[in-house]
Amino acid sequence: MPGFELFGDLERKQVNDVLDNGVLMRYGFDGMRNGHWKAKELETQLQNTFQSKHVQLVSSGTAAVSVALASAGVGAGHEVIMPTFTFVASFEAIMMLGAIPVLVDIDDTLGLNPEAVEQAITPNTKAIMVVQMCGSMANMDALQAIAKKHNILLIEDACQAIGGTYKGKPLGSIGDLGCFSFDFVKTITCGEGGAVITNNKDYYLNADHYSDHGHDHVGNDRGAETHPFLGYNFRISELHAAVGLAQVKRLPEFLELQKKNFNILRDALSQIPEVTFRTVPEGGVESCAFLSFFLPDLETTRKVIQAFKTEGVDVCWNYYDNNWHYIREWNHLKDLKSLFPISKEVKQGLSYLKTKTFAKSDHYIGRNISCLIKLSWTEVEVKERASKMVKAIKENI
Ligand SMILES: *Cc1c(COP(=O)(O)O)cnc(C)c1O
């Protein structure tokens, strides 16, 4: 991660195909397109990549999460269980539908703690949203069992885990619906873009219509369309899809590079006894987009992050004080700072955030460092980085 590091002629050629005929929209204008349907082509390609029957491209990963929830009927008053460690998009997408995010603890996988999930289930729970953070995964067997037992949906946000697998299945393809982002910093980028994947035809058709104003896309050149239900506009453009098409063809190359760089860093750090790595559930294979490890305590972790800075080791984060990814600093959510009125139900549903603490999540996130694995590093650079990291940790432990 990220795909933008390796940009080139393939992307340019794909974009030029679109510019040459001028049809920047993914639907209609059949006669002008010269056979170019970049969004459709990318959807077909992604069915293969993510081993999923249906793929609906949308305008962003955040849109993908919202469209996935809406397509499965999640809306006003429903509760959606989500982790304390994720990206702000998770609760944004839930709240956009008038649903209530119910935040629960993570465990040493850095994903949802199944016990905490089970405890949070109420008669209003409609879905569990698992977020596969930093290239790896939560304990999916346990979460699937809970979803099945309570007859609720399992939605998988795999925006940060393109290329990771669990028991042979691509991450994102395990839940009832999976969500991906192709924003500028993700493993494959379209500039902006996202995808919803599912094996459920009804959910897919709902996603297809809902993301384009409720149009059912029946007939050629939009001629015979009707609106079976209300929708919005979360469409991707042909230009964005064209970039994604070039990128997805290079995904195996990206994943190979990630893995190589990841392994050099992991091998170096594993020689320090105080360093432990995140737990990867049995049967799981990381995408290697990040290397995530734990140090003995928060104080040491903060010192090591500081030492990394001094040594010039960039793209490594401790998320404890981070206001994008962790509950502690989401004050706009806790204080419900909304531009427009929020329903009483959601206000009431979120009031727990004023007082609730998440000691288990603090225990893991406080001691965690996650380092982005870049594709453009040379082997010499990765090795140099590895020795700087080892030095910084050893000197501060
Ligand atoms: C990036 C990301 C999103 C949102 O994707 P955008 O395309 O930026 O809207 C959602 N969830 C996670 C875990 C992400 O990392």
Side-chain angles (χ1 to χ4, degrees):
M1 214 161 108
F4 76 72
E5 293 178 88
L6 302 179
F7 235 79
D9 291 345
L10 270 176
E11 284 78 4
R12 198 170 295 112
K13 170 164 185 324
Q14 288 287 350
V15 170
N16 279 338
D17 282 351
V18 178
L19 292 177
D20 284 348
N21 66 42
V23 182
L24 310 188
M25 193 184 190
R26 67 159 301 178
Y27 298 115
F29 302 93
D30 300 20
M32 287 169 61
R33 329 182 59 99
N34 226 349
H36 290 308
W37 298 90
K38 297 297 181 186
K40 265 191 195 152
E41 208 185 315
L42 180 54
E43 283 168 350
T44 307
Q45 178 76 45
L46 291 174
Q47 284 169 8
N48 191 32
T49 305
F50 297 138
Q51 289 171 37
S52 186
K53 277 194 195 143
H54 309 286
V55 175
Q56 177 65 40
L57 285 172
V58 289
S59 50
S60 71
T62 312
V65 180
S66 231
V67 169
L69 289 166
S71 300
V74 179
H78 291 148
E79 292 172 6
V80 179
I81 294 173
M82 59 165 272
T84 52
F85 175 52
T86 174
F87 178 48
V88 289
S90 302
F91 61 76
E92 291 168 357
I94 296 167
M95 290 174 72
M96 205 164 88
L97 300 167
I100 302 160
V102 175
L103 275 72
V104 308
D105 272 322
I106 57 154
D107 60 21
D108 60 358
T109 64
L110 297 181
L112 278 175
N113 175 335
E115 262 172 48
V117 170
E118 182 105 51
Q119 279 164 17
I121 288 173
T122 75
N124 291 330
T125 308
K126 187 82 176 175
I128 300 168
M129 189 197 292
V130 55
V131 185
Q132 317 291 28
M133 285 297 280
C134 300
S136 187
M137 71 222 78
N139 186 337
M140 294 305 289
D141 272 358
L143 293 173
Q144 267 187 311
I146 294 169
K148 201 170 166 200
K149 178 173 149 199
H150 295 276
N151 194 24
I152 51 184
L153 294 158
L154 184 62
I155 312 259
E156 213 184 332
D157 175 342
C159 290
Q160 293 194 9
I162 295 175
T165 59
Y166 181 72
K167 303 203 167 167
K169 286 187 179 167
L171 295 179
S173 73
I174 298 153
D176 297 292
L177 295 117
C179 308
F180 291 94
S181 163
F182 309 123
D183 78 19
F184 190 53
V185 296
K186 297 305 202 283
T187 306
I188 298 172
T189 185
C190 292
E192 299 282 2
V196 178
I197 70 170
T198 182
N199 286 326
N200 181 310
K201 191 162 183 201
D202 291 336
Y203 294 162
Y204 160 68
L205 289 173
N206 288 346
D208 169 273
H209 305 358
Y210 180 75
S211 60
D212 184 26
H213 305 291
H215 292 306
D216 62 8
H217 300 136
V218 169
N220 286 333
D221 220 8
R222 318 208 74 166
E225 285 179 340
T226 62
H227 295 129
F229 49 76
L230 295 167
Y232 295 93
N233 175 4
F234 298 113
R235 287 189 307 260
I236 195 164
S237 82
E238 283 289 274
L239 283 172
H240 292 90
V243 177
L245 206 46
Q247 289 257 301
V248 76
K249 290 183 177 154
R250 304 174 70 187
L251 182 60
E253 175 199 342
F254 291 177
L255 293 174
E256 206 46 52
L257 281 169
Q258 259 180 197
K259 192 167 145 192
K260 188 169 151 237
N261 293 342
F262 174 100
N263 282 335
I264 293 172
L265 295 182
R266 195 185 197 280
D267 288 350
L269 295 198
S270 61
Q271 280 147 35
I272 308 172
E274 291 90 346
V275 170
T276 54
F277 295 95
R278 79 188 300 173
T279 297
V280 178
E282 206 187 314
V285 180
E286 294 178 75
S287 78
C288 301
F290 288 82
L291 177 66
S292 291
F293 57 95
F294 300 108
L295 293 170
D297 53 63
L298 176 63
E299 203 197 328
T300 310
T301 307
R302 282 184 166 147
K303 279 199 295 190
V304 168
I305 284 283
Q306 206 45 53
F308 279 0
K309 285 209 175 101
T310 313
E311 291 284 341
V313 175
D314 62 357
V315 296
C316 288
W317 298 279
N318 168 249
Y319 290 113
Y320 193 69
D321 302 317
N322 178 294
N323 65 13
W324 287 32
H325 293 287
Y326 191 52
I327 172 74
R328 278 185 71 251
E329 296 295 333
W330 290 342
N331 295 319
H332 63 318
L333 173 66
K334 294 180 203 172
D335 298 338
L336 272 184
K337 288 202 174 146
S338 174
L339 282 177
F340 47 82
I342 286 186
S343 76
K344 284 199 189 87
E345 232 171 353
V346 172
K347 267 191 195 159
Q348 166 112 37
L350 281 173
S351 55
Y352 72 97
L353 283 177
K354 286 267 180 220
T355 49
K356 188 161 177 167
T357 52
F358 295 93
K360 280 190 185 136
S361 302
D362 287 349
H363 173 73
Y364 294 112
I365 293 298
R367 298 181 300 120
N368 174 256
I369 294 179
S370 291
C371 298
L372 183 74
I373 304 295
K374 287 207 173 183
L375 307 174
S376 55
W377 291 332
T378 64
E379 193 167 324
V380 174
E381 282 170 338
V382 190
K383 286 188 171 153
E384 217 173 279
R385 168 175 292 264
S387 44
K388 283 179 182 171
M389 286 170 76
V390 169
K391 176 168 172 266
I393 294 170
K394 281 192 174 156
E395 283 177 1
N396 286 282
I397 227 148

